[in-house]
Amino acid sequence: MHELIRDITLCILFAWMLGLLAHFSRQPLILAYLIAGFCIGPFGAGWVKSQESISVISELGLIFMLFMIGLEIDLKKIVRAGRVILFAAGGQLLGGCLLGVLFFAGIGLSLGGGHFDAVYLCIACALSSTVIIVKVLYEKRELDTLPGRITLGVLVLQDIFAILFLAVQPSLANLQVSVILLSIGRVAVLVAAALLISRYVLPRLFHQIARRPELILLGALAWCFLVAETAERLSLSREMGALIAGVSLSTFPYALDVTAKVTTLRDFFITLFFVALGMTIPVPGLSVIGLALMIAAFTVVSRLVTTFTPLYLMKQGLRASLLPALNLAQISEFSLVVIQTGVSDNHIAAETANAASFAFVVLAVLSTFVMTRSDKITRWAIGPLKRIGLRDLDHGNGHAEEGHEGGHGEARRIVILGFFRAASALLAEIERQTPVLLEQITVVDFNPNVYQTLLSRGLHVIYGDISNVDTLLHAGIGKSEMIILSVPDSLLKGATNEKLVRHVRALNPTALIVATADLLADVGELYEAGASYVSVTRLSDAHELFTVIEAAQAGLLADKRAELDLRLGERREVLP
């Protein structure tokens, strides 16, 4: 017992020190934890030698990690997932697994007879890292963009796929239809029971203890370990039970509160899991390094093929098809969970598991670097893709006569460069007050959903990247009378409003240019760049909030809300 406490102390101390180093060097924290484990483990300095300690630390971390993954799976979002996300995820998962089996079996890895190295690797390589992707997309403010939403939707469906695999994983050595059905039946019973209890019993209990944070935390942990132990009794696994416990809690009213309470504890045990995993990684030989590089290369190539292809075939355009493929091009921390379950059941060789861990580390570093520069990479790649014959949604733009289908032809009198919520609200307002003005408007944007929706409503739209001067030139904005830039700098890719104003002013010296300023300090710079008028959204927001305060003080807030509801009901916005 004293040895276990000492080992945990070493784990946390080294994880913190290397975590600081990773933070300042802008590397993934998971990488730091793995290296920390290697440094203090039996293959490093040897300060933690007890296999029992490593096993206990790893299992506790794994249970908490899967519990939290389950808490973050939003079943409602899966049900509402759009056709694009469903087809993209289906193509990526099925295609990735098929290519994985062919590739890994082709290089000589076992596919049966009690050893399933190729199977585990194809599953592991089909999953992407939620931790890395969400962190980078959040920092880039791209979670709410179309490629961001597609990426997150695919991640959620990957988690569901992993759950299904974990359900049949214990029976891989005796994979018969009856065994598979029995495993799935046990999971179905456990899931149904967990969902029913979390729907009708837990809310009442949590309501009674809502003002006692320590009891909410304790209740969540009790539920996690109860379902985990029940799963173990049903010949499943504690890890599988923890995942089901999290998923069942994700649907009930106190899920957000539970997540907030458990997050700190989760981070502690997830850190322990990855440190313990690092302890199991030996100094790699040439064969392990070679296999790791092959796994990493296959993951990147297969992800590009299996993600880009279905999105491109569904007419999402080259950019919106490439970005999710780049975002997803790494191995998931969940993949390491899958690999570890295989090691525990002697389904996969230790050398193969070590190679997968090294591949995870390599891709964690590379994908972070690539994702932070994904816009530049995408712009660079679109040209060669077009040259080999792939058509983008802008095929024919700028080369056809006015009025042709598909938004071809030069820009009209008023041009909206970039289309987000402000532009969506503007078009709805014009449609409500002066519909005839819509015939004089052109929208330029590279969101395929916006492009198709505006076309279906009869508006003139040109598909293109507004940060590219060639796009502006081919769109013919040099002849327009008014050009509106309504997308704030925080959401622009590859440009700022100041740069856009300068480009537009150079192409059209006489047009009225309306720009948007994020900061008050930007206003003067935009005017110097050539803007005719600068909109500061915080001023209009402040005015609206002030009228709300006035209405509340006069006892007229209900009337103001009714007026707003009426206005909202009359609008047909492209971006709700």
Side-chain angles (χ1 to χ4, degrees), residues 418-490:
F419 195 92
F420 202 57
R421 294 196 176 100
S424 175
L426 173 62
L427 283 189
E429 194 65 23
I430 292 172
E431 185 178 40
R432 188 176 71 88
Q433 296 200 36
T434 319
V436 68
L437 190 59
L438 293 175
E439 299 175 2
Q440 304 175 41
I441 292 176
T442 292
V443 174
V444 184
D445 194 73
F446 54 29
N447 184 322
N449 288 351
V450 167
Y451 178 76
Q452 297 294 345
T453 303
L454 291 177
L455 278 182
S456 67
R457 293 191 181 184
L459 276 87
H460 188 247
V461 53
I462 295 175
Y463 181 87
D465 182 356
I466 63 172
S467 67
N468 190 326
V469 179
D470 287 339
T471 297
L472 306 179
L473 186 63
H474 291 150
I477 66 168
K479 299 177 183 178
S480 300
E481 297 176 16
M482 176 178 283
I483 298 160
I484 300 173
L485 309 173
S486 63
V487 180
D489 284 348
S490 59

Side-chain angles (χ1 to χ4, degrees), residues 223-281:
W223 175 247
C224 170
F225 283 101
L226 173 63
V227 180
E229 197 59 34
T230 303
E232 180 74 12
R233 303 293 179 184
L234 290 173
S235 300
L236 296 169
S237 67
R238 290 188 179 93
E239 292 82 4
M240 180 74 184
L243 188 65
I244 292 172
V247 172
S248 63
L249 281 189
S250 72
T251 62
F252 96 134
Y254 293 91
L256 189 60
D257 197 30
V258 169
T259 303
K261 298 290 189 301
V262 180
T263 295
T264 303
L265 200 59
R266 170 206 64 178
D267 292 340
F268 173 75
F269 281 102
I270 286 179
T271 300
L272 288 181
F273 168 71
F274 284 111
V275 173
L277 183 62
M279 293 181 202
T280 65
I281 301 176

